[in-house]
């Protein structure tokens, strides 16, 4: 996992790298807060399964900023620990992968956990399939605690497993999901789901 951002952060509980599945933690400030948005019965349900409809604009903007930062990195190439990657084509944002990533980030934020496996037992592969992705799922990165796109991408690129997921030419599509909750341990949660068609 990524190294600590500041001395008060306890990062790197463990690295869960299985078949290119990776997780990263970080420390940062809150943005839009799902819990501060409303109260009780007046709470609109956030819909992670539709483009646009009900998803906070600032979260969608962060997702687009992360896509830009990832694609800039792919265009430049990278060294992921001991492996050198040349420039790679830009990812296309897949609506189905984005749905899977958004739903997982929102689930982690609202249920206060950090794992590739959802509390209902679903894996990245089952979530991606349930979102209707027609290609082949290739990897998932998760990160927590980073409130801006550049910081989370920088942290992911600093971890060999995450970096390789971003730089692999075997993936050509991505879905990025961001969600935030002031009551969750890390406040900000990110998911990147990768695939190929």
């Amino acid at each position: 996992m990524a190294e600590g951002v500041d001395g008060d952060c306890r990062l790197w509980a463990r690295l869960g790298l299985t078949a290119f599945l990776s997780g990263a933690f970080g420390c940062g400030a809150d943005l839009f807060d799902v819990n501060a948005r409303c109260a009780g019965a007046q709470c609109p349900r956030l819909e992670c399964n539709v483009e646009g409809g009900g998803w906070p604009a600032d979260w969608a903007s962060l997702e687009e900023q992360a896509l830009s930062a990832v694609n800039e990195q792919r265009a430049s190439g990278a060294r992921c620990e001991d492996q050198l990657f040349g420039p790679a084509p830009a990812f296309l944002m897949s609506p189905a992968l984005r749905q899977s990533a958004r739903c997982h980030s929102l689930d982690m934020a609202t249920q206060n956990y950090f794992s590739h496996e959802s509390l209902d037992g679903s894996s990245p592969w089952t979530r991606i399939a349930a979102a209707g992705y027609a290609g082949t799922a290739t990897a998932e990165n998760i990160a927590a605690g980073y409130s801006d796109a550049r910081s989370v991408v920088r942290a992911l690129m600093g971890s060999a497993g995450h970096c390789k997921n971003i730089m692999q030419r075997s993936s050509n599509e991505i879905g990025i999901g961001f969600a935030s909750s002031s009551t969750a341990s890390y406040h900000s949660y990110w998911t990147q789901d990768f695939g190929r068609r």
Side-chain angles (χ1 to χ4, degrees), residues 11-12 16 20 22 24 34 37 49-50 58 63 71 89 124 135 147-148 162 181:
L11 308 180
W12 280 121
F20 292 115
S22 304
V34 70
R37 182 174 187 138
N49 60 352
V50 278
D58 53 344
E63 295 163 0
N71 281 335
S147 61
D148 69 274
H162 301 99
S181 171

Side-chain angles (χ1 to χ4, degrees), residues 13-172:
R14 60 187 160 86
L15 175 60
L17 184 61
T18 306
F20 292 115
L21 298 180
S22 304
F25 295 91
C27 299
D30 279 86
L31 291 175
F32 172 92
D33 180 1
V34 70
N35 296 312
R37 182 174 187 138
C38 58
Q42 300 172 2
C43 241
R45 179 162 157 52
L46 286 179
E47 294 293 335
C48 57
N49 60 352
V50 278
E51 276 297 312
W55 200 249
D58 53 344
W59 292 3
S61 176
L62 284 169
E63 295 163 0
E64 292 297 331
Q65 291 169 36
L67 175 64
S68 294
V70 163
N71 281 335
E72 287 171 18
Q73 188 63 62
R74 280 176 65 89
S76 300
R79 177 176 294 281
C80 303
E81 198 170 70
D82 60 348
Q83 192 171 356
L84 185 62
F85 289 86
F91 282 122
L92 299 175
M93 183 79 88
S94 159
L97 290 174
R98 189 178 208 177
Q99 172 185 325
S100 174
R102 281 179 169 179
C103 290
H104 190 54
S105 291
L106 183 61
D107 192 52
M108 288 189 294
T110 58
Q111 297 197 61
N112 193 26
Y113 72 97
F114 183 78
S115 175
H116 289 286
E117 185 175 307
S118 298
L119 295 181
D120 68 4
S122 62
S123 72
W125 319 120
T126 56
R127 290 190 304 270
I128 290 169
Y133 186 61
T136 301
T138 56
E140 178 176 88
N141 285 343
I142 58 174
Y146 296 94
S147 61
D148 69 274
R150 294 260 176 221
S151 293
V152 74
V153 171
R154 188 170 35 255
L156 292 168
M157 291 304 295
S159 166
H162 301 99
C163 179
K164 289 175 183 177
N165 287 345
I166 289 170
M167 295 306 298
Q168 289 287 357
R169 295 177 75 90
S170 60
S171 300
N172 65 355

Side-chain angles (χ1 to χ4, degrees), residues 169-182:
R169 295 177 75 90
S170 60
S171 300
N172 65 355
E173 294 186 314
I174 193 171
I176 301 173
F178 172 86
S180 180
S181 171
S182 62

